[in-house]
Amino acid sequence: MSRAKVLLVDDEIEYVNALAERLRIRNYNVSIATNSNDAISSVINNAPEVVILDLRLPGLDGIEILKIIKKINPKIQVILLTGHGSTEKIEEGIKDGAFEYVLKPIDIEELIIKIDKARKMLYRNNLD
Amino acid sequence: MSFNILNFYKRIIYYFTFDLYRNLKYKIILANFLLSLVPLFIVITISYFWFINILKQDFYSHVTWQLKNTKQSIEYFISEKFSSLRFISSVYSYEQLKDQKFLSKIFYTLKKESPDIVDLGIIDSEGIQRAYVGPYKLIGKDYSNQDWFNEIIVRSNYLSDVFLGFRKIPHFAITIKKEIPETQSFWIIRATINMDTLLKFISEINLSEKDDAFIINEDGFLQTPSRFNGNILQKVSFQIINPKDSVSIREVRRADGNWVKCGCVSIKNSQWILFTQIYSSPYTVIQRIYTNELLIISFVSVLIGMFIMFGIAQNIVNHVKKADEERENAIAQSEHASKLASIGRLAAGVAHEINNPLAIINEKAGLMKDLLEISNTDMSKNKEKFISLINTIFDSVNRCRTITHRLLGFARRMEVSIEFIDINEAIKEVIGFLEKEFMFKNIRLKLELDETLPLIETDKGQIQQVLLNLLNNAIDAVERDGSVEITTKMKGEDFIHISVKDTGHGIPKEKLKHIFEPFYTTKGKGTGLGLSISYGIIQRLGGKILVESELGKGSIFTIELPIKYRDE
């Protein structure tokens, strides 16, 4: 079974590399972005199915990026990645269309489950 | 010797002023004391003099009235006697009156009307008594050498001084000269009057035991008996000041040693002066009441008042002291709470910061595990990769260490200690805490730090606490996408200025005066104590915080600090 096509967005390069490699070991198709510009280009060019998006990016607000992604392709499922348990931000994100969230440091199994669910959701929506 | 006295005074002053609460207590007591005593004293003094004055006036007018009355009675009495003699001398001639029998008839008729007439005599111009009716054998008596004869030659009527007459009873004589124009001669009619009526008049003056009333002549010889000034015809010991036709009263020391109020008035048409001496006057009683009884009452009530006042003052001061202590406690507690809150905010920031390195460690370690377990990678064949992963873990740990040490360093500086610090370095340390927050909120941080500033003698921990407060406020004001500028520079020779300028929403003018008040906040969250505590800290370090702000444009908070540490 092919695994989801994932875009990882986080400003810490070491983090994002390690996590990407861990996902690739598990057969996910992972691309990386470390800033909002690259993230948006990647969404346009690579058409990921699931975007894992860190809310604390320097410069642009994570929520703003979420909205842009959803505007580009509303079908893309976004999983919010956040270090702090700021429930308002997460709630706001969910309201703006985010599918799920995970807290850093993550449990890889939990992330995988959520990525698969997100992909299913995407295809279920496609069928509608 | 003088050194000891100076020391003594110093100790007294020290005792009253050093302890502020004792100082306050005695100030309250003194103020109350003066406030109650001074008006009381003024009122007592004024009413004393006023009262005495009134009574004195009253007394004087009474004495004056009495003397005037008596004077008028005496004068009337005398003039009445003179009138009788003048009448007789006008109606009857010298020839008629020279007749002894005729004179007798006149005498006894006169005596019926005025019983106090003792004798009546007719004297010729040589001074020889030609006719005489009376108890003595005085017909033919030669009066030419007598003073009164010489007086009467000059005057037309004469009132003699008192002399001891028949049976040593005091009498006086009235004499009238009748001119005979045809012969250029004159004759004299003379009557002796006894003192009974006069004495009666005098006795009608209301007197108590220690008082006296009498008549003296111009030379000071008593004409009537006196209680305290000597016997009749003796000279009085006190000096006679010119008597007037109106009553005069003055204070005199009597022969028996007592001070008396002496009233005198001259009797018209005579050499006589009427005197009265009053020992006790009502207003001296007042004096005694005032000085004795009132003094005791005042003293006792003042004593009681002082006693109560001490109690009240002590009570007040105790309350003030307690309130001060409670306030200090409350302030210390709220400052502590605010410190904790600021550490809390720091800690939250630190936790966020540490989370990233932790997440990295998590993924690197996780990746190593995945490589070994899932990919079955041979570690010995992929040594470099694993070592690289492990090194990244170490790097992350180092990052965490920096972060935790920064927090620990800040927490350690919670105790006050004055030392020489580089203010720019202190600022950069604080910024270290907030770097990430600036980054994530996209707020531009500008530093304009004067590197030529001297070292400042102050408390690094407290200054950093204030800077943290001001910077947090700046970040909150800007929210996102603005800028914060920190400037340091010299102000004059003795001060430096640290300014934190933000492009946030600014503070409206009417709120500006409140921002340093405790518990005042425009944010929905927070204790409202940050600025008030910062203000207090800077004030205690000998400086001040200034603010300029414009609604919609932003604010500039400036800390002014002395280079040399000075207590507030």
Side-chain angles (χ1 to χ4, degrees):
Chain A
M1 181 186 54
S2 72
R3 299 282 207 163
K5 192 169 182 193
V6 173
L7 169 63
L8 272 184
V9 184
D10 190 298
D11 62 313
E12 290 270 11
I13 187 99
E14 292 294 341
Y15 179 75
V16 102
N17 279 335
L19 182 56
E21 202 173 330
R22 291 187 78 190
L23 288 175
R24 288 188 191 118
I25 286 175
R26 290 163 173 80
N27 290 325
Y28 286 88
N29 183 345
V30 185
S31 26
I32 301 169
T34 53
N35 58 65
S36 48
N37 286 336
D38 291 347
I40 292 166
S41 321
S42 188
V43 165
I44 296 171
N45 297 330
N46 293 334
E49 293 163 331
V50 180
V51 176
I52 299 170
L53 173 63
D54 179 24
L55 277 179
R56 263 168 78 90
L57 286 179
L60 212 56
D61 187 21
I63 301 288
E64 296 302 311
I65 301 175
L66 163 68
K67 287 185 186 158
I68 294 173
I69 293 173
K70 280 295 189 180
K71 221 187 273 184
I72 296 172
N73 184 353
K75 293 213 184 84
I76 295 179
Q77 298 300 332
V78 177
I79 297 176
L80 297 174
L81 190 60
T82 176
H84 51 90
S86 159
T87 42
E88 302 106 44
K89 271 274 190 231
I90 295 171
E91 272 175 26
E92 196 188 335
I94 304 285
K95 237 187 284 177
D96 288 320
F99 175 73
E100 262 284 6
Y101 72 95
V102 286
L103 297 175
K104 278 200 246 188
I106 61 166
D107 177 349
I108 193 84
E109 299 301 323
E110 183 193 336
L111 180 61
I112 288 172
I113 291 171
K114 287 185 174 161
I115 293 174
D116 291 342
K117 265 202 194 148
R119 190 164 176 261
K120 276 206 191 95
M121 174 64 75
L122 185 144
Y123 283 109
R124 195 178 304 141
N125 288 345
N126 263 349
L127 291 172
D128 294 335
Chain B
M1 192 58 203
S2 58
F3 175 74
N4 281 336
I5 294 178
L6 189 68
N7 237 20
F8 180 66
Y9 280 129
K10 273 192 186 163
R11 286 186 63 189
I12 290 184
I13 292 173
Y14 181 84
Y15 175 81
F16 279 111
T17 55
F18 184 72
D19 178 356
L20 286 178
Y21 293 106
R22 194 186 293 146
N23 191 7
L24 178 66
K25 177 170 104 174
Y26 283 106
K27 271 194 191 146
I28 293 176
I29 290 172
L30 188 68
N32 264 302
F33 189 72
L34 291 178
L35 205 67
S36 52
L37 273 192
V38 166
L40 184 74
F41 185 70
I42 291 175
V43 164
I44 288 179
T45 312
I46 289 180
S47 61
Y48 170 75
F49 285 113
W50 177 79
F51 201 35
I52 285 215
N53 204 34
I54 286 185
L55 287 178
K56 191 171 175 181
Q57 306 278 40
D58 198 51
F59 169 73
Y60 274 32
S61 42
H62 178 70
V63 166
T64 304
W65 178 84
Q66 278 194 327
L67 277 184
K68 219 160 125 187
N69 254 5
T70 310
K71 163 188 153 95
Q72 279 174 347
S73 304
I74 295 173
E75 283 172 356
Y76 181 71
F77 173 73
I78 293 172
S79 83
E80 198 223 352
K81 295 290 173 270
F82 272 111
S83 295
S84 317
L85 286 192
R86 258 197 296 273
F87 176 74
I88 294 170
S89 67
S90 299
V91 167
Y92 300 110
S93 71
Y94 178 52
E95 300 305 321
Q96 281 171 299
L97 292 168
K98 228 170 44 178
D99 179 36
Q100 188 72 23
K101 267 208 231 47
F102 191 74
L103 193 66
S104 272
K105 206 163 89 180
I106 301 289
F107 175 72
Y108 285 109
T109 315
L110 201 58
K111 196 166 170 91
K112 249 196 277 189
E113 294 301 317
S114 332
D116 38 23
I117 194 167
V118 173
D119 64 26
L120 188 62
I122 306 290
I123 299 134
D124 65 21
S125 51
E126 307 296 315
I128 311 289
Q129 186 146 253
R130 292 310 195 91
Y132 176 84
V133 185
Y136 310 112
K137 302 251 184 304
L138 288 173
I139 290 187
K141 174 131 190 200
D142 182 358
Y143 288 111
S144 54
N145 296 330
Q146 303 263 336
D147 284 336
W148 67 262
F149 183 73
N150 293 313
E151 285 287 335
I152 201 71
I153 289 177
V154 178
R155 317 212 296 207
S156 52
N157 25 283
Y158 179 71
L159 175 72
S160 80
D161 282 346
V162 165
F163 55 89
L164 293 178
F166 186 58
R167 289 185 209 137
K168 299 284 183 209
I169 296 170
H171 298 98
F172 65 95
I174 53 176
T175 317
I176 296 228
K177 181 176 78 178
K178 187 80 179 145
E179 305 269 0
I180 307 174
E182 298 86 13
T183 54
Q184 300 274 326
S185 183
F186 64 88
W187 55 278
I188 293 165
I189 180 166
R190 183 168 182 267
T192 310
I193 318 285
N194 74 20
M195 293 291 284
D196 287 354
T197 317
L198 277 183
L199 292 175
K200 195 159 59 143
F201 287 142
I202 290 175
S203 68
E204 262 156 30
I205 298 176
N206 262 344
L207 295 175
S208 49
E209 319 180 319
K210 288 213 172 167
D211 300 340
D212 203 358
F214 50 89
I215 297 177
I216 58 171
N217 71 4
E218 284 162 354
D219 298 321
F221 290 95
L222 280 161
Q223 308 289 296
T224 61
S226 159
R227 281 183 199 163
F228 299 104
N229 289 284
N231 291 323
I232 197 167
L233 293 178
Q234 274 186 330
K235 188 164 176 169
V236 288
S237 56
F238 58 84
Q239 207 181 15
I240 302 166
I241 310 224
N242 282 342
K244 297 197 271 286
D245 196 38
S246 55
V247 177
S248 55
I249 305 177
R250 59 177 221 285
E251 191 124 5
V252 148
R253 194 165 187 176
R254 203 159 55 186
D256 63 348
N258 292 317
W259 284 92
V260 290
K261 253 69 69 191
C262 200
C264 72
V265 66
S266 61
I267 307 285
K268 236 185 341 213
N269 295 324
S270 70
Q271 314 94 275
W272 289 352
I273 307 163
L274 177 62
F275 268 87
T276 175
Q277 290 177 338
I278 313 281
Y279 172 72
S280 55
S281 46
Y283 62 94
T284 50
V285 171
I286 299 296
Q287 214 155 14
R288 193 176 50 81
I289 292 177
Y290 257 82
T291 50
N292 293 348
E293 285 144 7
L294 206 68
L295 209 69
I296 293 174
I297 293 173
S298 305
F299 189 67
V300 167
S301 45
V302 163
L303 218 64
I304 293 176
M306 288 283 282
F307 198 67
I308 295 175
M309 204 135 43
F310 257 86
I312 292 178
Q314 185 69 58
N315 204 6
I316 292 175
V317 164
N318 283 345
H319 272 104
V320 167
K321 196 169 184 181
K322 190 157 151 237
D324 280 349
E325 276 167 18
E326 277 174 13
R327 182 172 155 271
E328 273 180 34
N329 273 345
I331 289 179
Q333 276 183 354
S334 56
E335 280 182 359
H336 187 64
S338 182
K339 247 187 219 169
L340 290 181
S342 105
I343 292 184
R345 187 165 170 171
L346 272 186
V350 160
H352 286 159
E353 262 190 280
I354 286 186
N355 223 12
N356 274 354
L358 279 184
I360 293 173
I361 294 172
N362 186 42
E363 297 317 314
K364 297 290 177 186
L367 181 57
M368 287 201 288
K369 187 164 170 228
D370 288 347
L371 286 172
L372 290 172
E373 284 183 353
I374 301 178
S375 306
N376 270 319
T377 316
D378 190 348
M379 209 162 56
S380 55
K381 293 224 177 78
N382 289 287
K383 221 166 147 180
E384 270 172 34
K385 177 152 181 115
F386 276 89
I387 287 177
S388 154
L389 286 173
I390 291 166
N391 282 335
T392 321
I393 292 177
F394 281 130
D395 290 340
S396 294
V397 168
N398 279 335
R399 260 173 80 182
C400 291
R401 183 190 321 153
T402 313
I403 295 165
T404 52
H405 279 191
R406 195 194 299 138
L407 180 61
L408 286 171
F410 189 81
R412 212 187 317 125
R413 270 183 243 115
M414 284 294 125
E415 303 308 312
V416 175
S417 63
I418 309 291
E419 50 184 1
F420 284 95
I421 64 167
D422 178 346
I423 199 73
N424 294 331
E425 188 196 306
I427 292 174
K428 286 174 193 160
E429 278 179 29
V430 171
I431 289 171
F433 278 107
L434 299 170
E435 256 173 345
K436 296 285 181 191
E437 207 168 335
F438 277 107
M439 185 164 59
F440 287 121
K441 292 193 167 144
N442 203 29
I443 301 173
R444 197 161 77 95
L445 178 62
K446 256 175 45 182
L447 296 180
E448 292 264 352
L449 307 177
D450 180 358
E451 298 297 333
T452 66
L453 286 180
L455 294 183
I456 316 294
E457 191 186 9
T458 188
D459 179 326
K460 188 175 188 182
Q462 291 206 305
I463 293 293
Q464 285 184 324
Q465 196 184 338
V466 172
L467 284 167
L468 203 61
N469 174 234
L470 293 183
L471 284 170
N472 275 327
N473 285 350
I475 292 173
D476 289 344
V478 170
E479 281 170 45
R480 285 193 70 88
D481 307 319
S483 74
V484 169
E485 181 181 330
I486 306 176
T487 317
T488 60
K489 63 176 188 261
M490 285 293 289
K491 176 89 173 28
E493 288 192 355
D494 303 320
F495 291 91
I496 59 156
H497 271 192
I498 308 159
S499 302
V500 174
K501 177 174 167 183
D502 67 68
T503 58
H505 45 60
I507 305 166
K509 203 177 270 170
E510 57 277 8
K511 298 214 172 121
L512 261 185
K513 48 182 178 278
H514 295 301
I515 55 171
F516 292 112
E517 286 168 19
F519 307 111
Y520 185 85
T521 178
T522 54
K523 308 176 189 176
K525 56 179 168 98
T527 54
L529 287 172
L531 275 178
S532 101
I533 289 174
S534 298
Y535 189 86
I537 289 173
I538 298 297
Q539 198 173 37
R540 280 195 297 276
L541 292 174
K544 49 181 177 232
I545 304 186
L546 315 155
V547 60
E548 293 163 54
S549 182
E550 207 182 312
L551 199 56
K553 286 244 179 89
S555 317
I556 308 176
F557 280 80
T558 307
I559 303 171
E560 181 176 285
L561 273 183
I563 294 179
K564 281 238 151 304
Y565 175 65
R566 60 188 76 169
D567 237 320
E568 168 190 17

